[in-house]
Amino acid sequence: MCLEGGCGACIVTVKGIHPASQEKQTWAVNSCLTNVYSCHGLDIITIEGVGNKKDGYHVTQKRLADLNGTQCGYCSPGMVMNMFR
Ligand code: FES
């Protein structure tokens, strides 16, 4: 992990009231650039929460793997977190 917002390995999905628009939204954030105090009241979903080996993979994860969309493994979780719903 780069810890500077460059690789995408740490991207998580956040659900809650968007701080700028005040509307209920779902968006992706780089967790390495997000202050933990700004997460109060938000639901956070990690790549393991979307799908995993034990419980089964999400359709977005399956498609990315089946259609050879994966790359080095650092950015692939970030791509899934941006695409899944
Ligand atoms: S660790 Fe690379 S973007 Fe957060």
Side-chain angles (χ1 to χ4, degrees):
M1 293 174 40
C2 69
L3 303 176
E4 60 185 23
C7 71
C10 70
I11 292 177
V12 297
T13 297
V14 176
K15 293 182 178 184
I17 305 299
H18 193 279
S21 67
Q22 299 300 313
E23 296 175 356
K24 188 170 183 161
Q25 291 184 357
T26 301
W27 69 99
V29 298
N30 292 62
S31 61
C32 69
L33 301 178
T34 304
N35 186 320
V36 70
Y37 296 117
S38 68
C39 300
H40 180 72
L42 300 176
D43 292 330
I44 297 171
I45 304 169
T46 65
I47 187 70
E48 292 84 5
V50 173
N52 59 67
K53 188 174 183 178
K54 181 180 171 192
D55 300 325
Y57 292 108
H58 186 273
V59 66
T60 304
Q61 293 168 311
K62 289 179 187 172
R63 289 239 174 127
L64 198 69
D66 291 346
L67 300 174
N68 301 313
T70 59
Q71 294 187 18
C72 66
Y74 284 100
C75 58
S76 299
M79 291 191 287
V80 170
M81 296 311 291
N82 276 296
M83 292 189 286
F84 103 96
R85 287 279 183 217

